[in-house]
C-alpha cells in the first residue's frame, strides 16, 4: 500500500474520559513495614456508586474489620496477605495525612497520590522488603515466582474480577512496572496471566527505569511527575470517549510485523509564545524531531519511524490557525491550513512522509496544580509560554505535545541490551540463581531479544 495515512481526532478531556482503574506499580509503603505493589485493571468506566473516602486516601472502609483495625492511638492497621511464616504483621499508617505533602516528606508514589483507592486495589507482598540492603525483590525470577504462588495468584485474580465485573466495556489493561528489579518479573507474569484470561483485550506495558533528572527536577518524584504528564497525554487516544481509537487498535498500529516495543517522547510544556499560532510554533522546530525522548534510546534524529501516535493538548482554539490579513501569502503550507487538525496532520506528513500517523488535537491542557511539583515558572496560568514570567508565578496547567513511535532506534538499543546481557555471568548473582533461573532459559530469552531487535532494522512502514 503506497502513500501516507493519517487519523486526526479532536475533542476535550471533559467529554467523559474513560477512567483507568490502576495498572501495576512499585511497592506501597505503609509505616515501616514490608513493601508490596498495587494492582488494578485499566481503562474501564465505573457505573456503581462512589466509594467512601478516608484520611489515608486509600478508600479503606473503617467499619469493615476484615480490612484492618483503627487503634486508640489513631493508627489504621491494614490487613494484608500473610507470608506463610506465622502471624502476619499489620502495616501501619498514621492519620491524618496532609492534603498536600511537602517535598521533604515524599518517599514513595503513594505519598502524593490524590486518587482514593479501594482496599481491593492493593495487594501486599510480605516476602520482600521495600528498601534496605537485604531481602529486596531484586531479580526477574523472584518477581515471576511471586505470582506463581497460588495465594498471590488467587488474590490478584480476585481483585481483577472485582473491577472487571463493574465495567461497561473492558478495553484492556495497562501495566506499570520497574524494569531494573524483581517487579519486572511481577509485571511479565501479570501480563501472561491477563493474556491467558482476557484474550483479545489490549495489554500495554510501561516499563520504568531510574533516569537522569529533567529541567528543574531535583528529586525522583519530580521525574515521576514528568513521566506521568507524558503518560497522561499519550494514552488519550483510547481514553477519550469521542475517539474511535481503542487500546487494541493503537497497540496493533504500533506493533505490526513482530514489533512489540515503542519509544516515547514529549515537549513539556509545548512552546507557544504570546501572539504565535500553532503553525508559527511548529515551524520553529524546522526538520528536527520536535519532542524530547523519554525512552533510553538516545536522540531520534537520523532514525526511521514506522508508525506513530501523536497527541497535542492545551492549545487554545484561537491559536490553532494563522490569522493572516487578507491578501498576505502564507509563509508555509501549514499557515494555509484551515483547521488545527489539518495543520497537525500536515506537519506529521512533512516530518515523516509515508508513515502511519494517528494524531489527536485536544483543547484541555494538562493540569499541574499541587501536589504536582513546582517545575514551571515560565508559563502563564493558562499554559502559554512567556519570556519574562515573574519568578514563582503559579502555573495550573500547561500544553503538552506527546508521541509514541515505533522507530528504527530500537534496533541498536535492543541489540546493545542483548550484547550486555550475554556478557553477564548469572552464577555471580545469588538472587537470580535462588529464583531458579536456568542457563537454557536465559539463552532462549537472549535469542528472542535478538530476533526482536531485527524487526526494527530497516523494514517497511504500514503504508509502504
Amino acid at each position: 500500500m503506497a502513500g501516507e495515512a493519517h487519523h486526526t481526532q479532536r475533542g476535550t478531556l471533559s467529554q467523559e474520559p474513560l477512567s483507568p482503574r490502576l495498572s501495576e506499580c512499585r511497592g506501597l509503603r505503609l509505616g515501616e513495614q514490608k513493601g508490596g505493589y498495587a494492582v488494578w485493571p485499566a481503562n474501564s468506566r465505573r457505573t456503581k456508586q462512589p466509594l467512601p473516602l478516608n484520611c489515608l486516601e486509600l478508600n479503606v472502609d473503617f467499619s469493615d474489620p476484615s480490612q484492618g483495625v483503627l487503634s486508640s492511638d489513631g493508627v489504621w492497621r491494614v490487613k494484608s496477605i500473610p507470608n506463610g511464616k506465622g502471624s502476619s504483621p499489620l502495616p501501619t499508617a498514621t492519620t491524618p495525612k496532609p492534603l498536600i505533602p511537602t517535598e521533604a516528606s515524599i518517599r514513595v508514589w503513594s505519598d502524593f497520590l490524590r486518587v482514593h483507592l479501594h482496599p481491593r486495589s492493593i495487594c501486599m507482598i510480605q516476602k520482600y522488603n521495600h528498601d534496605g540492603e537485604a531481602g529486596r525483590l531484586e531479580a526477574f525470577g523472584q518477581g515471576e515466582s511471586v505470582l506463581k504462588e497460588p495465594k498471590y495468584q488467587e488474590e490478584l485474580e480476585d481483585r481483577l474480577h472485582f473491577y472487571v465485573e463493574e465495567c461497561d466495556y473492558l478495553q484492556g489493561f495497562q501495566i506499570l512496572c520497574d524494569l531494573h528489579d524483581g517487579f519486572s518479573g511481577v509485571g511479565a507474569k501479570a501480563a501472561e496471566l491477563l493474556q491467558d484470561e482476557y484474550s483479545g483485550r489490549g495489554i500495554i506495558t510501561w516499563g520504568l527505569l531510574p533516569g537522569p533528572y529533567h529541567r528543574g527536577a531535583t528529586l525522583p518524584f519530580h521525574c515521576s511527575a514528568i513521566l506521568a504528564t507524558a503518560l497522561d497525554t499519550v494514552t488519550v487516544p483510547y481514553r477519550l470517549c469521542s475517539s474511535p481509537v481503542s487500546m487494541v487498535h493503537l497497540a496493533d498500529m504500533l506493533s505490526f510485523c513482530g514489533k512489540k516495543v515503542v519509544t516515547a517522547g514529549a515537549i513539556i510544556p509545548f512552546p507557544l509564545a504570546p501572539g504565535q499560532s500553532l503553525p508559527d510554533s511548529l515551524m520553529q522546530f524546522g526538520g528536527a524531531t520536535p519532542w524530547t525522548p523519554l525512552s533510553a534510546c538516545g536522540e531520534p534524529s537520523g532514525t526511521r519511524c514506522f508508525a506513530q501516535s501523536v497527541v497535542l493538548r492545551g492549545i487554545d482554539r484561537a491559536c490553532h490557525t494563522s490569522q493572516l490579513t487578507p491578501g498576505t501569502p502564507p509563509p508555509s503550507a501549514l499557515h494555509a491550513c484551515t483547521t488545527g487538525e489539518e495543520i497537525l496532520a500536515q506537519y506529521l506528513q512533512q516530518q515523516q512522509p509515508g508513515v502511519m500517523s494517528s494524531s489527536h488535537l485536544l483543547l484541555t491542557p494538562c493540569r499541574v496544580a499541587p501536589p504536582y511539583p513546582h517545575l514551571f515558572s515560565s508559563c502563564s496560568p493558562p499554559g502559554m509560554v512567556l519570556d519574562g514570567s515573574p519568578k514563582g508565578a503559579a502555573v495550573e496547567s500547561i500544553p503538552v505535545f506527546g508521541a509514541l513511535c515505533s522507530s528504527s532506534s530500537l534496533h541498536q538499543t535492543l541489540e546493545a541490551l542483548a550484547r550486555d546481557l550475554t556478557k553477564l555471568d548469572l552464577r555471580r548473582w545469588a538472587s537470580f540463581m535462588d529464583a531458579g533461573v536456568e542457563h537454557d532459559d536465559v539463552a532462549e530469552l537472549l535469542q528472542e531479544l535478538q530476533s526482536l531487535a531485527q524487526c526494527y532494522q530497516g523494514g517497511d512502514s504500514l503504508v509502504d
Side-chain angles (χ1 to χ4, degrees):
M1 183 167 62
E4 71 279 348
H6 293 277
H7 165 77
T8 304
Q9 178 69 23
R10 182 183 194 169
T12 63
L13 288 179
S14 60
Q15 300 174 344
E16 290 188 77
L18 298 180
S19 176
R21 300 307 303 167
L22 203 56
S23 303
E24 182 131 327
C25 291
R26 183 78 198 266
L28 173 67
R29 170 187 290 276
L30 296 177
E32 296 300 324
Q33 301 297 322
K34 302 278 188 173
Y37 67 95
V39 179
W40 64 105
N43 235 18
S44 60
R45 188 182 303 163
R46 294 297 299 268
T47 57
K48 302 298 180 65
Q49 66 275 13
L51 297 169
L53 310 181
N54 75 359
C55 54
L56 287 179
E57 300 186 337
L58 291 174
N59 271 351
V60 177
D61 185 354
F62 287 107
S63 64
D64 185 359
S66 66
Q67 303 298 339
V69 178
L70 184 64
S71 62
S72 59
D73 59 356
V75 175
W76 176 254
R77 302 180 181 277
V78 183
K79 291 188 176 181
S80 55
I81 304 173
N83 58 12
K85 299 180 181 179
S87 59
S88 170
L90 297 177
T92 63
T94 58
T95 63
K97 184 177 182 178
L99 292 178
I100 301 178
T102 62
E103 291 195 355
S105 68
I106 292 176
R107 301 178 65 187
V108 292
W109 65 271
S110 56
D111 290 336
F112 54 88
L113 181 68
R114 299 186 73 179
V115 177
H116 300 279
L117 302 183
H118 191 282
R120 282 200 174 186
S121 293
I122 303 168
C123 187
M124 300 291 294
I125 299 176
Q126 296 294 335
K127 296 178 63 176
Y128 299 99
N129 293 322
H130 174 80
D131 51 16
E133 296 299 326
R136 300 185 65 176
L137 188 57
E138 298 177 312
F140 180 93
Q142 289 176 318
E144 190 177 38
S145 65
V146 166
L147 290 188
K148 290 181 178 180
E149 297 184 30
K151 60 183 177 183
Y152 289 115
Q153 185 171 334
E154 291 172 6
E155 190 72 15
L156 173 60
E157 291 175 350
D158 175 70
R159 287 163 172 12
L160 286 173
H161 292 158
F162 174 77
Y163 286 106
V164 168
E165 291 172 0
E166 292 190 345
C167 296
D168 290 335
Y169 170 69
L170 175 65
Q171 286 198 57
F173 302 88
Q174 295 182 127
I175 300 177
L176 277 75
C177 65
D178 293 339
L179 297 182
H180 61 287
D181 57 22
F183 283 96
S184 57
V186 174
K189 189 60 179 178
E192 181 182 321
L193 295 174
L194 292 173
Q195 180 64 34
D196 291 341
E197 187 159 356
Y198 300 96
S199 178
R201 304 296 183 182
I203 299 177
I204 297 182
T205 302
W206 307 94
L208 308 175
L209 285 169
Y213 295 144
H214 294 265
R215 49 166 290 186
T218 58
L219 297 173
F221 97 95
H222 291 171
C223 292
S224 296
I226 296 293
L227 294 176
T229 300
L231 181 63
D232 186 64
T233 299
V234 298
T235 58
V236 159
Y238 53 82
R239 291 194 296 115
L240 194 64
C241 289
S242 61
S243 172
V245 179
S246 68
M247 182 185 291
V248 173
H249 293 153
L250 181 64
D252 287 345
M253 185 191 79
L254 296 173
S255 62
F256 62 96
C257 297
K259 300 178 177 66
K260 298 181 180 179
V261 184
V262 297
T263 62
I267 305 177
I268 305 174
F270 182 78
L272 186 68
Q276 276 192 332
S277 65
L278 178 57
D280 296 331
S281 184
L282 292 175
M283 288 299 295
Q284 291 178 350
F285 297 122
T289 302
W291 35 79
T292 300
L294 299 175
S295 303
C297 299
E299 289 294 330
S301 58
T303 62
R304 179 179 182 184
C305 178
F306 304 116
Q308 61 185 351
S309 172
V310 175
V311 177
L312 176 59
R313 61 186 297 185
I315 303 297
D316 188 83
R317 193 188 303 274
C319 300
H320 283 184
T321 58
S322 179
Q323 304 298 322
L324 299 174
T325 57
T328 303
S332 71
L334 298 182
H335 289 81
C337 297
T338 58
T339 66
E341 292 81 5
E342 185 183 350
I343 290 169
L344 186 56
Q346 175 77 7
Y347 174 74
L348 295 176
Q349 195 276 331
Q350 291 178 358
Q351 292 293 108
Q352 299 286 351
V355 171
M356 169 67 79
S357 295
S358 171
S359 59
H360 286 68
L361 182 63
L362 305 173
L363 299 177
T364 308
C366 184
R367 288 189 54 79
V368 291
Y372 198 100
H374 184 70
L375 300 178
F376 310 106
S377 59
S378 60
C379 299
S380 66
M384 184 171 289
V385 175
L386 298 177
D387 286 333
S389 182
K391 185 67 175 177
V395 178
E396 295 183 356
S397 61
I398 58 172
V400 179
F401 197 17
L404 296 176
C405 182
S406 177
S407 167
S408 61
S409 64
L410 286 161
H411 169 67
Q412 183 176 354
T413 300
L414 295 173
E415 273 204 336
L417 176 60
R419 286 196 303 269
D420 291 343
L421 292 176
T422 303
K423 299 174 184 177
L424 292 180
D425 185 0
L426 294 182
R427 293 172 297 182
R428 300 178 57 186
W429 303 86
S431 56
F432 280 84
M433 305 309 296
D434 293 343
V437 176
E438 300 290 342
H439 183 272
D440 291 342
D441 294 336
V442 175
E444 182 179 352
L445 290 174
L446 286 174
Q447 181 60 46
E448 293 179 359
L449 184 59
Q450 291 167 346
S451 298
L452 179 61
Q454 295 305 312
C455 295
Y456 296 89
Q457 185 177 20
D460 297 326
S461 68
L462 278 175
V463 295
D464 285 346

